[in-house]
């Protein structure tokens, strides 16, 4: 069983959808779990109301994309369970292990007033994984060190107090599209980008999507050629079109004589790919009672799945009566 999370540090965008969410809906097994990691979004300065709205939008997008509500939950709805298990794991983790986390060093470098949660969140991530009994965690290279910490903590707890936790392993995530920023193809499309003009959000209206793609950076040439190193802007458009139509970038390159024609084709492909997701997401966001029902049910199932592990861990470490 795999567990994957998405942090609502911004609104879901095309890169999230083509690169991960769509693949989760199509290729994930019935046992895989997906959560909205809103607690992780609190490690830096944030607006509480905006965070709540982004968490709801992310949840709606996952469900609208075809992921079963049975397999989705919001992290903060398990705040009590995760808080208790995080403390247990912090009592199992050494300072040296936490201090070696590269992501903390990179994100804290040069920053004033760094929050302690940025230092300790890898232990919370371990709690996310271990509470649900995940055996596999799809992560990129930047997060693999955190999964190694979860493995170390699971093994140490099991050896010291008794067998409770499945020891997870990091696996390569399902291959998805590589989507770059439309105004700066040297960087990936990001929901937290300071320039929204280069980001297509899942809930963007069709006309706005068309305008953004028509303004996408290309190069001084005129004929579309798939050359990621020499022509990254055009390659990005070709990769987006290929992902939306389930074809290869080189195949679609030969079908368009000009950059203008390519952009029009990309715009229409993106509009159609996102249309059902946008419409269903809008429906869910327009029905707060239904979204709240989905969220409450997801939290109850996630809590039930982890209840016996948490209770066993607390009992074995001496925090509750045996």
């Amino acid at each position: 069983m795999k567990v994957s999370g998405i942090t609502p540090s911004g609104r879901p965008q095309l890169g999230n959808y083509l690169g991960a969410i769509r693949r989760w809906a199509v290729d994930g097994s019935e046992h895989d779990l997906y959560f909205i990691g809103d607690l992780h979004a609190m490690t830096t300065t944030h607006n509480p109301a905006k965070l709540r709205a982004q968490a709801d939008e992310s949840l709606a997008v996952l469900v609208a994309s075809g992921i079963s509500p049975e397999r989705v939950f919001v992290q903060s709805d398990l705040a009590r369970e995760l808080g208790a298990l995080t403390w247990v794991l912090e009592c199992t983790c050494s300072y040296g292990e936490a201090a070696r986390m590269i992501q903390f060093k990179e994100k804290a470098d040069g920053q004033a007033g760094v929050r302690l949660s940025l230092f300790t969140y890898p232990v919370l991530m371990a709690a996310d994984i271990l509470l649900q009994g995940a055996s596999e965690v799809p992560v990129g290279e930047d997060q693999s060190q955190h999964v190694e910490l979860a493995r170390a903590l699971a093994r140490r707890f099991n050896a010291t107090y008794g067998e409770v936790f499945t020891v997870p392993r990091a696996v390569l995530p399902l291959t998805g599209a590589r989507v770059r920023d439309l105004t700066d193809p040297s960087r990936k499309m990001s929901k937290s980008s300071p320039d929204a003009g280069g980001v297509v959000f899942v809930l963007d209206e069709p006309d706005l999507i068309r305008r953004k793609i028509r303004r996408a950076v290309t190069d001084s040439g005129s004929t579309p050629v798939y050359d990621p190193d020499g022509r990254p802007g055009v390659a990005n458009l070709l990769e987006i079109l290929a992902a939306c139509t389930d074809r290869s970038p080189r195949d679609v390159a030969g079908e368009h004589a000009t950059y203008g024609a390519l952009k029009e084709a990309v715009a229409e492909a993106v509009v159609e790919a996102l249309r059902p997701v946008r419409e269903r997401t809008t429906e869910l966001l327009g029905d707060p009672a239904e979204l709240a029902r989905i969220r409450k049910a997801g939290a109850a199932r996630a809590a039930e799945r982890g209840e016996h592990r948490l209770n066993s861990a607390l009992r074995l470490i001496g925090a509750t009566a045996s």
Side-chain angles (χ1 to χ4, degrees):
M1 184 266 280
K2 301 182 183 70
V3 63
S4 301
I6 181 171
T7 303
S9 54
R11 299 173 57 212
Q13 41 84 10
L14 181 66
N16 302 138
Y17 177 69
L18 294 179
I21 297 171
R22 184 179 66 165
R23 300 291 177 181
W24 292 347
V26 174
D27 298 326
S29 83
E30 62 179 342
H31 302 294
D32 293 344
L33 302 175
Y34 307 96
F35 69 92
I36 312 303
D38 54 343
L39 297 179
H40 291 309
M42 298 178 186
T43 58
T44 56
T45 302
H46 67 281
N47 178 296
K50 189 174 182 180
L51 176 59
R52 283 191 290 270
Q54 289 171 172
D56 280 344
E57 184 175 328
S58 296
L59 174 64
V61 167
L62 262 60
V63 173
S65 298
I67 299 174
S68 170
E70 300 280 329
R71 299 189 285 143
V72 179
F73 63 94
V74 178
Q75 186 187 33
S76 62
D77 291 337
L78 272 68
R80 290 180 175 82
E81 292 87 349
L82 288 170
L85 183 54
T86 297
W87 180 250
V88 168
L89 295 177
E90 285 181 349
C91 293
T92 309
C93 182
S94 73
Y95 173 81
E97 286 174 310
R100 285 196 293 272
M101 296 295 105
I102 295 172
Q103 279 232 324
F104 171 75
K105 296 177 181 178
E106 292 177 346
K107 291 182 178 181
D109 186 35
Q111 300 295 316
V114 177
R115 295 184 178 185
L116 180 61
S117 56
L118 186 62
F119 182 76
T120 60
Y121 99 87
V123 184
L124 172 59
M125 180 176 169
D128 291 326
I129 297 165
L130 300 183
L131 182 65
Q132 298 302 323
S135 56
E136 297 182 344
V137 187
V139 291
E141 186 62 33
D142 61 334
Q143 292 286 330
S144 60
Q145 189 184 34
H146 295 166
V147 180
E148 286 303 312
L149 178 63
R151 287 171 55 81
L153 297 181
R155 285 195 298 260
R156 184 175 305 139
F157 186 98
N158 290 346
T160 304
Y161 303 106
E163 291 287 331
V164 173
F165 299 117
T166 299
V167 179
R169 65 185 183 94
V171 297
L172 290 175
L174 295 169
T175 302
R178 181 188 65 173
V179 180
R180 316 300 293 180
D181 190 287
L182 296 175
T183 60
D184 182 2
S186 67
R187 66 190 184 200
K188 70 178 182 179
M189 189 176 286
S190 171
K191 53 183 175 287
S192 57
S193 173
D195 181 9
V199 182
V200 174
F201 295 101
V202 171
L203 293 188
D204 280 349
E205 293 291 334
D207 285 347
L208 179 56
I209 293 174
R210 293 185 182 100
R211 286 199 300 273
K212 288 181 176 181
I213 292 176
R214 285 168 185 158
R215 295 171 183 168
V217 169
T218 52
D219 54 56
S220 59
S222 59
T223 304
V225 175
Y226 185 61
D227 180 3
D229 295 325
R231 299 184 179 184
V234 177
N236 185 39
L237 292 174
L238 291 170
E239 288 171 356
I240 292 172
L241 179 57
C244 289
T245 57
D246 293 319
R247 302 175 65 193
S248 77
R250 285 188 169 81
D251 286 343
V252 297
E255 298 177 355
H256 306 283
T258 66
Y259 287 171
L262 172 62
K263 288 183 176 182
E264 290 302 315
V266 173
E268 293 311 310
V270 171
V271 166
E272 291 308 311
L274 292 180
R275 186 185 303 279
V277 181
R278 178 174 60 83
E279 291 176 353
R280 178 57 179 146
T281 300
T282 301
E283 288 178 5
L284 287 169
L285 293 175
D287 188 352
E290 173 62 10
L291 191 62
R293 185 195 67 76
I294 291 173
R295 180 166 173 168
K296 184 177 180 179
R301 285 187 292 269
E304 183 178 1
R305 281 190 294 261
E307 182 179 14
H308 70 284
R309 293 185 193 88
L310 175 59
N311 289 341
S312 295
L314 289 171
R315 176 176 56 81
L316 288 172
I317 206 171
T320 61
S322 58

